[in-house]
Amino acid sequence: GRPYQRLVEQWGDLTAWEKLIAAVWVPILRVAGDFAKMVGYPSGRVWRMRNRPPAWRIESDDEAGETRRPWLNRWLIADATFSSTLSVGEQPGVLRALTATITHSGDALTLVPVMALGFWLGDAYLRALIAVWFTADLWTAGVVQVFKVIIRRARPIGEWGKFTRRIDPHAFPSGHSARGGVMIMLGVLFAPPWAKPLVAAWGLLIAISRVLLGVHFVSDALGGLALGGMVTLIFLRLFL
Protein backbone atom coordinates (compact mmCIF):
# COMPACT_ATOMS: atom_id res chain seq x y z
CA GLY A 1 0.00 0.00 0.00
CA ARG A 2 0.86 3.66 0.14
CA PRO A 3 2.74 3.48 3.50
CA TYR A 4 5.11 0.85 2.16
CA GLN A 5 5.62 2.83 -1.04
CA ARG A 6 6.69 5.84 1.00
CA LEU A 7 8.95 3.62 3.11
CA VAL A 8 10.73 2.25 0.04
CA GLU A 9 11.23 5.79 -1.26
CA GLN A 10 12.92 6.84 1.99
CA TRP A 11 14.88 3.89 3.39
CA GLY A 12 17.97 4.71 1.31
CA ASP A 13 21.12 2.95 2.61
CA LEU A 14 19.46 0.87 5.34
CA THR A 15 20.68 -2.68 5.69
CA ALA A 16 18.42 -5.59 4.83
CA TRP A 17 17.77 -6.21 8.53
CA GLU A 18 16.91 -2.54 9.15
CA LYS A 19 14.57 -2.59 6.17
CA LEU A 20 12.81 -5.64 7.60
CA ILE A 21 12.43 -3.97 10.99
CA ALA A 22 11.06 -0.80 9.34
CA ALA A 23 8.56 -2.85 7.34
CA VAL A 24 7.36 -4.60 10.51
CA TRP A 25 6.78 -1.23 12.20
CA VAL A 26 4.53 0.10 9.42
CA PRO A 27 1.31 -1.77 10.41
CA ILE A 28 2.03 -1.17 14.11
CA LEU A 29 2.27 2.56 13.58
CA ARG A 30 -0.86 2.56 11.41
CA VAL A 31 -2.91 0.76 14.06
CA ALA A 32 -1.53 3.00 16.82
CA GLY A 33 -2.38 6.11 14.79
CA ASP A 34 -5.93 4.96 14.10
CA PHE A 35 -6.42 4.07 17.76
CA ALA A 36 -5.10 7.48 18.84
CA LYS A 37 -7.61 9.18 16.54
CA MET A 38 -10.51 7.14 17.92
CA VAL A 39 -9.50 7.85 21.52
CA GLY A 40 -8.56 11.47 20.89
CA TYR A 41 -11.95 12.63 19.63
CA PRO A 42 -14.06 11.57 22.67
CA SER A 43 -11.23 12.70 24.97
CA GLY A 44 -11.30 16.11 23.34
CA ARG A 45 -15.07 16.31 23.72
CA VAL A 46 -14.81 15.48 27.43
CA TRP A 47 -12.08 18.11 27.86
CA ARG A 48 -14.27 20.73 26.16
CA MET A 49 -17.22 19.95 28.44
CA ARG A 50 -15.04 20.17 31.56
CA ASN A 51 -12.99 23.25 30.65
CA ARG A 52 -15.45 25.21 28.50
CA PRO A 53 -12.87 26.89 26.23
CA PRO A 54 -13.76 30.19 24.51
CA ALA A 55 -16.47 29.82 21.92
CA TRP A 56 -16.34 30.41 18.16
CA ARG A 57 -13.14 32.22 17.21
CA ILE A 58 -13.45 34.39 14.11
CA GLU A 59 -10.12 35.03 12.45
CA SER A 60 -9.13 38.62 11.80
CA ASP A 61 -8.23 40.09 8.41
CA ASP A 62 -4.51 39.45 8.86
CA GLU A 63 -4.87 35.76 9.69
CA ALA A 64 -4.77 32.87 7.28
CA GLY A 65 -8.47 32.08 7.46
CA GLU A 66 -9.36 35.56 6.25
CA THR A 67 -7.22 35.16 3.14
CA ARG A 68 -8.82 31.81 2.39
CA ARG A 69 -12.46 32.65 3.16
CA PRO A 70 -12.89 36.41 3.60
CA TRP A 71 -16.57 36.38 2.65
CA LEU A 72 -17.32 33.70 5.26
CA ASN A 73 -15.56 35.53 8.08
CA ARG A 74 -17.30 38.80 7.23
CA TRP A 75 -20.64 37.04 7.22
CA LEU A 76 -19.91 35.29 10.53
CA ILE A 77 -18.91 38.57 12.13
CA ALA A 78 -22.09 40.28 10.93
CA ASP A 79 -24.20 37.35 12.10
CA ALA A 80 -22.57 37.29 15.55
CA THR A 81 -22.80 41.07 15.95
CA PHE A 82 -26.47 41.24 15.01
CA SER A 83 -27.34 38.23 17.16
CA SER A 84 -25.63 39.76 20.21
CA THR A 85 -27.77 42.90 19.91
CA LEU A 86 -30.90 40.75 20.25
CA SER A 87 -29.77 38.66 23.21
CA VAL A 88 -31.50 39.00 26.58
CA GLY A 89 -29.93 35.86 28.03
CA GLU A 90 -27.72 37.83 30.42
CA GLN A 91 -30.50 40.22 31.49
CA PRO A 92 -32.64 38.67 34.27
CA GLY A 93 -36.21 39.85 34.23
CA VAL A 94 -39.70 39.28 32.88
CA LEU A 95 -38.63 39.24 29.22
CA ARG A 96 -35.99 36.57 29.78
CA ALA A 97 -38.39 34.49 31.88
CA LEU A 98 -41.05 34.66 29.16
CA THR A 99 -38.51 33.81 26.47
CA ALA A 100 -37.23 30.87 28.50
CA THR A 101 -40.79 29.59 28.90
CA ILE A 102 -41.28 29.70 25.15
CA THR A 103 -38.00 27.93 24.48
CA HIS A 104 -38.77 25.20 27.04
CA SER A 105 -42.09 24.59 25.31
CA GLY A 106 -39.96 23.26 22.45
CA ASP A 107 -37.94 20.89 24.65
CA ALA A 108 -38.27 17.19 23.98
CA LEU A 109 -39.07 16.69 27.68
CA THR A 110 -42.07 18.99 27.21
CA LEU A 111 -43.32 17.79 23.84
CA VAL A 112 -43.08 14.03 24.35
CA PRO A 113 -45.58 14.03 27.28
CA VAL A 114 -47.84 16.35 25.25
CA MET A 115 -47.71 13.95 22.32
CA ALA A 116 -48.38 10.98 24.60
CA LEU A 117 -51.39 12.69 26.16
CA GLY A 118 -52.81 13.68 22.77
CA PHE A 119 -52.30 10.15 21.44
CA TRP A 120 -54.07 8.69 24.46
CA LEU A 121 -57.05 11.08 24.43
CA GLY A 122 -57.34 11.90 20.73
CA ASP A 123 -59.34 10.35 17.93
CA ALA A 124 -57.89 8.29 15.08
CA TYR A 125 -56.94 11.36 13.02
CA LEU A 126 -55.14 13.06 15.90
CA ARG A 127 -53.30 9.85 16.74
CA ALA A 128 -52.12 9.50 13.15
CA LEU A 129 -51.02 13.14 13.08
CA ILE A 130 -49.10 12.77 16.35
CA ALA A 131 -47.39 9.64 15.03
CA VAL A 132 -46.29 11.58 11.94
CA TRP A 133 -45.20 14.53 14.08
CA PHE A 134 -43.14 12.33 16.41
CA THR A 135 -41.44 10.47 13.57
CA ALA A 136 -40.69 13.60 11.54
CA ASP A 137 -39.29 15.26 14.66
CA LEU A 138 -37.10 12.22 15.33
CA TRP A 139 -35.79 12.26 11.76
CA THR A 140 -35.06 15.96 12.02
CA ALA A 141 -33.19 15.56 15.31
CA GLY A 142 -30.92 12.98 13.70
CA VAL A 143 -30.19 15.19 10.69
CA VAL A 144 -29.50 18.16 12.98
CA GLN A 145 -26.87 16.19 14.91
CA VAL A 146 -25.17 15.12 11.69
CA PHE A 147 -24.92 18.75 10.55
CA LYS A 148 -23.67 19.87 13.97
CA VAL A 149 -20.87 17.31 14.02
CA ILE A 150 -19.83 18.20 10.46
CA ILE A 151 -20.00 22.00 10.78
CA ARG A 152 -18.93 22.25 14.46
CA ARG A 153 -19.83 25.91 14.90
CA ALA A 154 -19.54 26.86 18.56
CA ARG A 155 -22.40 28.57 20.35
CA PRO A 156 -22.28 32.26 21.30
CA ILE A 157 -20.53 33.01 24.56
CA GLY A 158 -22.98 33.36 27.44
CA GLU A 159 -24.13 32.07 30.81
CA TRP A 160 -27.78 31.21 30.17
CA GLY A 161 -28.32 27.53 29.42
CA LYS A 162 -25.08 26.23 30.91
CA PHE A 163 -26.28 22.63 30.77
CA THR A 164 -27.17 22.89 27.09
CA ARG A 165 -23.83 24.50 26.28
CA ARG A 166 -22.01 21.77 28.16
CA ILE A 167 -23.65 18.72 26.59
CA ASP A 168 -24.14 20.20 23.11
CA PRO A 169 -21.51 22.87 22.31
CA HIS A 170 -22.35 23.07 18.60
CA ALA A 171 -24.67 25.74 17.28
CA PHE A 172 -25.56 25.18 13.63
CA PRO A 173 -28.32 24.36 13.00
CA SER A 174 -30.52 25.02 16.02
CA GLY A 175 -32.29 21.84 17.09
CA HIS A 176 -35.15 23.73 18.75
CA SER A 177 -35.60 25.82 15.60
CA ALA A 178 -35.64 22.66 13.49
CA ARG A 179 -38.36 21.30 15.76
CA GLY A 180 -40.21 24.57 15.19
CA GLY A 181 -39.84 24.02 11.44
CA VAL A 182 -41.46 20.60 11.79
CA MET A 183 -44.36 22.16 13.72
CA ILE A 184 -44.85 24.90 11.15
CA MET A 185 -44.84 22.51 8.19
CA LEU A 186 -47.24 20.01 9.77
CA GLY A 187 -49.44 22.79 11.10
CA VAL A 188 -49.76 24.45 7.70
CA LEU A 189 -50.52 21.12 6.01
CA PHE A 190 -52.77 19.35 8.52
CA ALA A 191 -54.01 21.67 11.29
CA PRO A 192 -57.56 23.08 11.21
CA PRO A 193 -57.75 26.55 9.61
CA TRP A 194 -58.12 28.33 12.94
CA ALA A 195 -55.06 26.54 14.37
CA LYS A 196 -52.66 27.06 11.45
CA PRO A 197 -51.47 30.57 12.47
CA LEU A 198 -51.20 29.51 16.12
CA VAL A 199 -49.01 26.50 15.36
CA ALA A 200 -46.91 28.54 12.92
CA ALA A 201 -46.45 31.30 15.51
CA TRP A 202 -45.47 28.73 18.15
CA GLY A 203 -42.77 27.19 15.94
CA LEU A 204 -41.45 30.61 14.91
CA LEU A 205 -41.34 31.90 18.50
CA ILE A 206 -39.36 28.85 19.61
CA ALA A 207 -36.74 29.65 16.97
CA ILE A 208 -36.65 33.33 17.93
CA SER A 209 -36.32 32.46 21.61
CA ARG A 210 -33.07 30.59 20.95
CA VAL A 211 -31.48 33.75 19.59
CA LEU A 212 -32.90 35.97 22.31
CA LEU A 213 -31.49 33.69 25.00
CA GLY A 214 -28.05 33.87 23.42
CA VAL A 215 -27.58 30.14 22.78
CA HIS A 216 -27.78 30.47 18.99
CA PHE A 217 -26.97 32.92 16.23
CA VAL A 218 -29.67 34.17 13.85
CA SER A 219 -28.36 31.95 11.06
CA ASP A 220 -28.62 28.90 13.35
CA ALA A 221 -32.32 29.59 13.88
CA LEU A 222 -33.03 30.25 10.21
CA GLY A 223 -31.10 27.16 9.18
CA GLY A 224 -32.96 25.07 11.75
CA LEU A 225 -36.37 26.27 10.58
CA ALA A 226 -35.53 25.51 6.96
CA LEU A 227 -34.05 22.12 7.79
CA GLY A 228 -37.04 21.07 9.90
CA GLY A 229 -39.44 22.02 7.14
CA MET A 230 -37.45 20.24 4.44
CA VAL A 231 -36.97 17.02 6.41
CA THR A 232 -40.69 16.95 7.17
CA LEU A 233 -41.59 17.36 3.50
CA ILE A 234 -39.17 14.60 2.52
CA PHE A 235 -40.61 12.32 5.18
CA LEU A 236 -44.18 12.97 4.03
CA ARG A 237 -43.23 12.42 0.40
CA LEU A 238 -41.55 9.09 1.15
CA PHE A 239 -44.07 7.55 3.51
CA LEU A 240 -47.47 9.23 3.04
Side-chain angles (χ1 to χ4, degrees):
R2 186 65 180 169
Y4 282 104
Q5 182 180 347
R6 290 196 295 266
L7 175 62
V8 171
E9 292 171 352
Q10 298 178 36
W11 63 17
D13 298 329
L14 295 180
T15 66
W17 176 250
E18 290 171 335
K19 292 177 181 179
L20 177 61
I21 296 298
V24 171
W25 271 103
V26 168
I28 297 174
L29 293 174
R30 293 280 291 182
V31 171
D34 291 341
F35 180 76
K37 292 177 183 178
M38 290 187 291
V39 173
Y41 178 75
S43 299
R45 292 297 300 272
V46 171
W47 183 88
R48 284 185 62 86
M49 289 189 290
R50 289 178 176 176
N51 295 277
R52 300 184 63 196
W56 187 255
R57 295 181 178 89
I58 302 172
E59 297 174 333
S60 61
D61 291 352
D62 58 349
E63 292 178 327
E66 178 64 21
T67 60
R68 290 194 302 268
R69 298 175 296 180
W71 63 269
L72 178 59
N73 277 348
R74 287 196 293 268
W75 180 81
L76 289 172
I77 292 171
D79 186 26
T81 302
F82 180 60
S83 301
S84 66
T85 64
L86 302 175
S87 177
V88 298
E90 310 308 313
Q91 304 170 24
V94 175
L95 180 58
R96 191 179 76 171
L98 177 60
T99 306
T101 301
I102 294 172
T103 211
H104 288 313
S105 73
D107 291 349
L109 292 177
T110 302
L111 290 179
V112 169
V114 170
M115 291 180 183
L117 183 63
F119 193 86
W120 180 40
L121 299 177
D123 56 15
Y125 178 80
L126 182 58
R127 289 181 178 180
L129 182 56
I130 289 175
V132 170
W133 180 15
F134 178 80
T135 309
D137 189 80
L138 198 62
W139 271 41
T140 302
V143 175
V144 164
Q145 291 306 312
V146 170
F147 272 89
K148 283 188 173 185
V149 171
I150 293 174
I151 297 174
R152 302 178 65 82
R153 183 186 194 186
R155 295 179 183 271
I157 297 175
E159 291 298 318
W160 192 92
K162 289 183 179 180
F163 180 73
T164 298
R165 298 175 191 273
R166 190 177 298 274
I167 65 172
D168 183 11
H170 300 141
F172 187 90
S174 164
H176 278 72
S177 301
R179 181 168 290 129
V182 175
M183 293 179 186
I184 293 172
M185 186 59 66
L186 291 179
V188 169
L189 294 176
F190 299 111
W194 61 267
K196 292 182 187 294
L198 297 178
V199 176
W202 183 18
L204 184 60
L205 285 173
I206 289 174
I208 293 173
S209 71
R210 305 304 287 170
V211 179
L212 294 181
L213 290 170
V215 290
H216 280 288
F217 300 104
V218 171
S219 59
D220 302 334
L222 294 176
L225 285 170
L227 182 64
M230 287 189 294
V231 172
T232 303
L233 281 178
I234 293 172
F235 170 77
L236 293 174
R237 184 65 180 269
L238 290 176
F239 296 101
L240 296 182

Short mmCIF file of all heavy atoms in Angstrom, two decimals, residues 32 87 95 120 230:
data_model
loop_
_atom_site.label_atom_id
_atom_site.label_comp_id
_atom_site.label_asym_id
_atom_site.label_seq_id
_atom_site.Cartn_x
_atom_site.Cartn_y
_atom_site.Cartn_z
N ALA A 32 -1.66 2.06 15.70
CA ALA A 32 -1.53 3.00 16.82
C ALA A 32 -2.10 4.37 16.45
O ALA A 32 -2.78 5.01 17.26
CB ALA A 32 -0.06 3.13 17.22
N SER A 87 -29.80 39.56 22.07
CA SER A 87 -29.77 38.66 23.21
C SER A 87 -30.23 39.31 24.50
O SER A 87 -29.84 40.43 24.83
CB SER A 87 -28.34 38.12 23.39
OG SER A 87 -28.27 37.29 24.53
N LEU A 95 -38.81 39.60 30.62
CA LEU A 95 -38.63 39.24 29.22
C LEU A 95 -37.84 37.94 29.08
O LEU A 95 -38.20 37.05 28.30
CB LEU A 95 -37.92 40.37 28.46
CG LEU A 95 -37.66 40.11 26.97
CD1 LEU A 95 -38.96 39.82 26.24
CD2 LEU A 95 -36.94 41.30 26.33
N TRP A 120 -53.21 9.48 23.57
CA TRP A 120 -54.07 8.69 24.46
C TRP A 120 -55.52 9.19 24.40
O TRP A 120 -56.46 8.40 24.35
CB TRP A 120 -53.53 8.79 25.89
CG TRP A 120 -54.34 8.01 26.90
CD1 TRP A 120 -54.91 6.78 26.74
CD2 TRP A 120 -54.67 8.44 28.22
NE1 TRP A 120 -55.57 6.40 27.88
CE2 TRP A 120 -55.43 7.40 28.81
CE3 TRP A 120 -54.39 9.57 28.97
CZ2 TRP A 120 -55.91 7.48 30.12
CZ3 TRP A 120 -54.86 9.64 30.27
CH2 TRP A 120 -55.62 8.61 30.83
N MET A 230 -37.84 21.09 5.56
CA MET A 230 -37.45 20.24 4.44
C MET A 230 -37.46 18.76 4.80
O MET A 230 -37.94 17.92 4.03
CB MET A 230 -36.05 20.65 3.94
CG MET A 230 -36.04 21.96 3.18
SD MET A 230 -34.43 22.29 2.38
CE MET A 230 -33.38 22.50 3.80
#
